Amino acid sequence: MNRRLFVRADGNEEIGIGHIMRSMTIANVFRRAGYACTYISSNPIKRDVFDRYDYDVIDIDYPFDIKSAEEAYDVLRIINKYGNGYLLVDSYYAGNDYLSILRQGTTLICINSTTKRLNTDYLINENIACNREYIEELYSGTGTMLLLGSDYSPIRDEFVRRNYQTRKKVTRIMVTTGGGDQHNFMTKFVRRIRNIRRYDPIHFTMVSGGYNIYYDELSNEANKTENVVVISNPKNMADLMMESDLAISAGGTTILELSVIGVPAIGISVADDQRAGLSFMGKTGMIQYAGHTTDVGFWDVLIECLDDAIDNYSNRKTLSTKSRSCFDGKGAERIFLQITGEK
């Protein structure tokens, strides 16, 4: 096997940057072990994400949400030009027609939480709420190696082994929806809290991702609100989390990073595929779950969760302890070991 890892992943205003960041966490482990790592991404894509972590990226001109046979053959041509290796595909749009072509020409790794059987050599389903028994039966006899559950959640090194202490008083709250904000949640949140007097002493940091199409609107609302600041695409996310007494976060990688550090968190779904994982985390006491941003009554539930978290130090401390106990931050290392057999 050529010591190369190729990653097929995209990021844009609609899907955010989560697919790139979690796959990059896995690629980081491969790279530390001496593998050459190259991204293959559809336009539009922000190059600074790759430049920040010093990754080579090859642009291909295909729609991010349509995975065609033509694209699959082009990806294989790129891979073969460099001498083959592993291919990691992180896309919910990759169906079996597309994957079957790729699997014929390379060793295929998929990150996906679908309940449909995929044609791949390795399946990573990091969803803490995944139904292991169902998935194992679904893939029985296929030869696919299954890497299931939170033990395989890829978390970047900067979030691991932090000495976070739950503070008795909430004075700083971080709010984020990841790379994008397709429902304009953060702007609506600022408008909601502006005239609630009990929040006046609390400093709210709105962390806006690089694909937030509502950034200007959010900034305008924050400028009208004394206790709100907006930080765009920060490079020190772990430090911001450490400074926070409480967080409001969408599902995906960010809520896992908060859990590894131990920041008490309120989870909100901004996409349907986040519901199951966040609901499970809420029921098991890792976070408070407020529901999907489009649910009827969502804002009332969110404010209730927020007030409860602010008022109850004991509950925040329990959330912190429980979340840290469920995620150790070693998922990417386990993935590398299972796929390559190397330590």
Side-chain angles (χ1 to χ4, degrees), residues 209-255:
Y211 292 104
N212 184 2
I213 60 175
Y214 298 105
Y215 175 78
D216 290 340
E217 188 178 348
L218 171 61
S219 295
N220 288 336
E221 291 299 324
N223 288 336
K224 303 174 189 175
T225 314
E226 267 189 40
N227 59 332
V228 174
V229 298
V230 178
I231 299 177
S232 179
N233 203 23
K235 296 181 180 179
N236 60 336
M237 191 66 164
D239 291 339
L240 288 175
M241 290 181 180
M242 286 292 293
E243 295 168 0
S244 302
D245 304 310
L246 180 67
I248 299 173
S249 173
T253 303
T254 304
I255 200 76

Side-chain angles (χ1 to χ4, degrees), residues 257-277:
E257 293 164 348
L258 287 162
S259 296
V260 168
I261 290 178
V263 183
I266 299 169
I268 58 169
S269 298
V270 298
D272 287 340
D273 60 16
Q274 295 179 358
R275 287 183 186 268

Side-chain angles (χ1 to χ4, degrees), residues 116-128:
K116 297 179 181 179
R117 188 170 67 192
L118 298 178
N119 189 356
T120 182
D121 295 296
Y122 299 90
L123 175 73
I124 304 167
N125 183 340
E126 62 171 318
N127 192 334
I128 192 171

Side-chain angles (χ1 to χ4, degrees), residues 34-308:
Y35 283 71
C37 298
T38 303
Y39 267 79
I40 303 170
S41 283
S42 295
N43 291 316
I45 188 69
K46 286 186 179 289
R47 300 289 298 227
D48 62 339
V49 177
F50 300 113
D51 292 341
R52 183 190 305 177
Y53 297 97
D54 195 28
Y55 273 94
D56 293 331
V57 56
I58 298 170
D59 292 323
I60 55 174
D61 192 15
Y62 290 95
F64 76 93
D65 55 349
I66 300 175
K67 293 290 181 278
S68 64
E70 182 184 4
E71 181 197 308
Y73 285 118
D74 269 356
V75 170
L76 284 180
R77 277 191 284 271
I78 292 169
I79 291 173
N80 290 328
K81 179 181 177 182
Y82 285 86
N84 215 311
Y86 295 104
L87 172 62
L88 172 63
V89 175
D90 191 343
S91 171
Y92 295 141
Y93 298 101
N96 275 328
D97 290 345
Y98 177 82
L99 296 175
S100 296
I101 294 170
L102 294 175
R103 194 179 183 186
Q104 290 173 14
T106 190
T107 301
L108 185 61
I109 309 160
C110 286
I111 305 179
N112 207 305
S113 57
T114 182
T115 55
K116 297 179 181 179
R117 188 170 67 192
L118 298 178
N119 189 356
T120 182
D121 295 296
Y122 299 90
L123 175 73
I124 304 167
N125 183 340
E126 62 171 318
N127 192 334
I128 192 171
C130 71
N131 187 332
R132 293 169 184 260
E133 185 177 344
Y134 170 80
I135 296 171
E136 288 167 357
E137 183 177 346
L138 183 69
Y139 281 87
S140 177
T142 64
T144 299
M145 176 176 280
L146 303 174
L147 309 179
L148 307 178
S150 58
D151 281 348
Y152 296 99
S153 295
I155 306 294
R156 286 177 284 167
D157 289 344
E158 56 260 43
F159 298 94
V160 182
R161 291 180 293 277
R162 292 274 182 156
N163 185 26
Y164 182 85
Q165 300 295 322
T166 307
R167 292 171 280 272
K168 290 191 175 181
K169 189 175 181 181
V170 174
T171 61
R172 303 182 71 87
I173 297 176
M174 186 183 78
V175 183
T176 181
T177 55
D181 188 6
Q182 59 181 320
H183 301 297
N184 203 13
F185 165 80
M186 289 194 288
T187 302
K188 296 172 185 175
F189 179 82
V190 174
R191 290 172 182 153
R192 289 269 177 170
I193 66 167
R194 179 182 295 138
N195 297 316
I196 301 178
R197 297 280 70 90
R198 72 163 305 189
Y199 299 151
D200 286 352
I202 298 175
H203 180 88
F204 290 88
T205 301
M206 316 302 293
V207 181
S208 178
Y211 292 104
N212 184 2
I213 60 175
Y214 298 105
Y215 175 78
D216 290 340
E217 188 178 348
L218 171 61
S219 295
N220 288 336
E221 291 299 324
N223 288 336
K224 303 174 189 175
T225 314
E226 267 189 40
N227 59 332
V228 174
V229 298
V230 178
I231 299 177
S232 179
N233 203 23
K235 296 181 180 179
N236 60 336
M237 191 66 164
D239 291 339
L240 288 175
M241 290 181 180
M242 286 292 293
E243 295 168 0
S244 302
D245 304 310
L246 180 67
I248 299 173
S249 173
T253 303
T254 304
I255 200 76
L256 304 182
E257 293 164 348
L258 287 162
S259 296
V260 168
I261 290 178
V263 183
I266 299 169
I268 58 169
S269 298
V270 298
D272 287 340
D273 60 16
Q274 295 179 358
R275 287 183 186 268
L278 288 175
S279 178
F280 180 87
M281 292 176 75
K283 289 175 181 176
T284 52
M286 285 180 272
I287 63 169
Q288 289 181 284
Y289 178 47
H292 196 289
T293 57
T294 60
D295 288 346
V296 175
F298 165 78
W299 287 101
D300 291 336
V301 175
L302 176 60
I303 296 300
E304 184 179 338
C305 288
L306 182 57
D307 288 343
D308 178 66

